[in-house]
Amino acid sequence: MNASSGKVIALAGGVGGAKLADGLAQVLREKLTVVVNTGDDFEHLGLRISPDLDTVMYTLAGLANPIQGWGLQGESWAFMEQVARLGGPEWFRLGDRDLATHAIRTSRLNGGATLTAVTAELCRSLGIVARILPMSDEPVRTVIRSGDDLFSFQDYFVRLRCEVPVSEISYEGSTSARFNRELVGIGAADRPAAVIFCPSNPYLSIDPILAIPGVRDWLRALQVPVVAVSPIVGGTAIKGPAAKIMLELGGPVSVTTIAEHYRGLISGIVIDEIDAQLQDQIEATGAAVRVAPTIMRSTADRVSLAETCLAFADDLGRRLLSRSGN
Amino acid sequence: MNASSGKVIALAGGVGGAKLADGLAQVLREKLTVVVNTGDDFEHLGLRISPDLDTVMYTLAGLANPIQGWGLQGESWAFMEQVARLGGPEWFRLGDRDLATHAIRTSRLNGGATLTAVTAELCRSLGIVARILPMSDEPVRTVIRSGDDLFSFQDYFVRLRCEVPVSEISYEGSTSARFNRELVGIGAADRPAAVIFCPSNPYLSIDPILAIPGVRDWLRALQVPVVAVSPIVGGTAIKGPAAKIMLELGGPVSVTTIAEHYRGLISGIVIDEIDAQLQDQIEATGAAVRVAPTIMRSTADRVSLAETCLAFADDLGRRLLSRSGN
């Protein structure tokens, strides 16, 4: 079975990851499973909020706000106006429609449902046919250390607008969290043809998933092509603080640092045409390279990049097979 | 000290009660304390909702929706539209602005604040100078029995639109709930000049307050005039199911049944002009009677009825004094 026609698992976090997940979903439909970072999840105004799950859901449902980069299109803000009037916290903005997701999720979780079950229900209501899974049903919380200060993720990301320098990132709860049960011990029938690391922030979106005990081993045990798409293009990040954090953690800001970061886990990496000259350097990390346009401006760009990833995975799969003696 | 210039405590529930509480607040300002029924409180869509507290708050803030009879004026419904789209429960309607109250309350209660403290904060933000107190910081839940079926209050009131016949009403949790601590053991300086039972539903709004252990004794120990305003006018209820329930519980639907219901607790009752012929019958229950227009259509009506109640309480206070030997 190859990636273009078989089952595929994608790991994703925020906006960039959601865009490629959407491209993959348009090609693969119900054959795609997106495993989403929940390290950004938090409770706010009494509500359980899962920002990355929502970004992926809204993007795959065609409802994401394309300008804001988060939340729903056509959103209204009466709730926030009233929160302000009542002296409540204004730093995290919740749209009137977006609130429905959080309220239903909170209510179902309070009633004992798993985040996996609630997410599946929300996806069904939104007409999403791909499967979206939280990385875990147990809480994992990304914590940012800046010098002697510790910040919760949303504190760092939204309230402080990533302005403090990052000295360390940890994933609270990750040692006791279990990888999503629907993925652990996948049988032969459910085994994917490939795994794709979407162009999400490696430190804030992909690493929290990889920090869950057993995930790295699970990934290796699958023995399928693992293809990453670089979120660093031409020495900077398309969106978000990936480049800033990369610099603060000591790396040169380049796609090579991404390949190094995933060394031993990925079989190949898709890099942008602008970075083509880095191909040899990257291949030295052990990852095969495919050069392609990676900036997704339109829906067609998303589908095209998805197809590039799947074709690349197919080629890598054939190489795996020939190496194992066929 | 008399009721027109001293401190006054009002007991209130829904819309009619909130209107008189508003009239009293306009006359007495910070000298008024409104003790509000919380038997209707419930959790919905993950949020802690206190319908009667909100009705009183919004009414005193001048923000109540005058047509709907609940919620805020100028409300929008984007949240409910999205709840419907996501297949969530639609039977209890939450406006976008109203949600801010519930979210802030839920968040503060989850953080360990008392309902009394949260209510005080919300009132301050809304510029309310009268004090609004939940009857208790512990949960009391009004339960409706209809034959062999038990219904939670909102199930009965909103979902079933009061259509099932009531055979019994009970107040779950009332035996272990404590009366609001700010009222228990009131010192001489805080002792009110009068207590007013607003024209709220006796079974659904006032009785839950009276069901809390010690409240009846507290009321008697105050030794101040207690004036009720009848929610039954001309043999029917101005609003809501009071008349229907009165009939189902076996009483004739009349202001006399109200006086009987509060027998031994109230010193006087304000009845509408249309019921003037019942004065003797009512006085036989032991309550003094004042006849006045009681239907509140305008703000002026609210203030006028408030002034009637306070003047009546003053007269009853003088009688109490003269009886005790002055």
Side-chain angles (χ1 to χ4, degrees), chain B residues 16-193:
Chain B
K19 283 183 180 175
L20 180 58
D22 181 40
L24 290 164
Q26 294 193 44
V27 176
L28 298 164
R29 299 189 53 83
E30 73 285 351
K31 289 180 196 148
L32 176 69
T33 296
V34 191
V35 181
V36 180
N37 169 44
T38 56
D40 307 359
D41 290 15
F42 73 128
E43 191 167 317
H44 185 62
L45 280 170
L47 297 162
R48 302 274 293 265
I49 302 179
S50 297
D52 280 358
L53 276 174
D54 291 349
T55 297
V56 173
M57 272 197 322
Y58 293 164
T59 304
L60 265 62
L63 298 174
N65 185 314
I67 295 154
Q68 222 167 235
W70 53 271
L72 289 161
Q73 55 185 244
E75 188 57 283
S76 59
W77 304 96
F79 172 79
M80 285 308 303
E81 277 173 40
Q82 191 68 11
V83 166
R85 178 167 190 170
L86 293 175
E90 294 178 71
W91 63 273
F92 194 89
R93 296 189 54 76
L94 293 165
D96 300 333
R97 284 177 176 74
D98 185 34
L99 273 169
T101 301
H102 311 313
I104 289 173
R105 176 188 292 126
T106 304
S107 166
R108 295 281 293 124
L109 291 174
N110 287 356
T114 63
L115 187 55
T116 298
V118 180
T119 305
E121 290 163 14
L122 291 168
C123 285
R124 205 161 29 242
S125 301
L126 291 171
I128 298 169
V129 295
R131 183 168 63 156
I132 300 179
L133 296 178
M135 63 190 198
S136 175
D137 282 320
E138 284 87 43
V140 176
R141 297 292 169 260
T142 298
V143 175
I144 309 291
R145 192 163 70 75
S146 178
D148 290 338
D149 298 320
L150 289 175
F151 298 101
S152 69
F153 178 80
Q154 297 300 340
D155 230 26
Y156 165 75
F157 193 73
V158 180
R159 201 176 58 80
L160 300 173
R161 296 158 196 268
C162 311
E163 277 162 12
V164 297
V166 173
S167 29
E168 194 189 357
I169 302 174
S170 57
Y171 311 100
E172 206 181 283
S174 65
T175 52
S176 56
R178 285 168 297 173
F179 194 39
N180 193 300
R181 262 145 278 186
E182 301 200 15
L183 295 170
V184 177
I186 275 181
D190 285 321
R191 205 160 143 266

Side-chain angles (χ1 to χ4, degrees), chain A residues 279-304:
Chain A
Q279 179 157 0
D280 292 350
Q281 200 181 87
I282 295 164
E283 282 173 349
T285 70
V289 169
R290 175 126 324 166
V291 178
T294 64
I295 298 179
M296 295 172 280
R297 290 193 185 83
S298 65
T299 302
D301 291 344
R302 297 177 187 184
V303 172
S304 169

Side-chain angles (χ1 to χ4, degrees), chain A residues 105-118:
Chain A
R105 176 188 293 126
T106 305
S107 166
R108 295 280 292 123
L109 291 175
N110 287 354
T114 62
L115 187 56
T116 299
V118 180

Side-chain angles (χ1 to χ4, degrees), chain B residues 280-302:
Chain B
D280 291 350
Q281 200 182 85
I282 294 165
E283 282 172 348
T285 69
V289 169
R290 175 117 336 158
V291 178
T294 64
I295 297 178
M296 294 172 280
R297 289 191 187 85
S298 64
T299 302
D301 291 345
R302 296 177 187 184

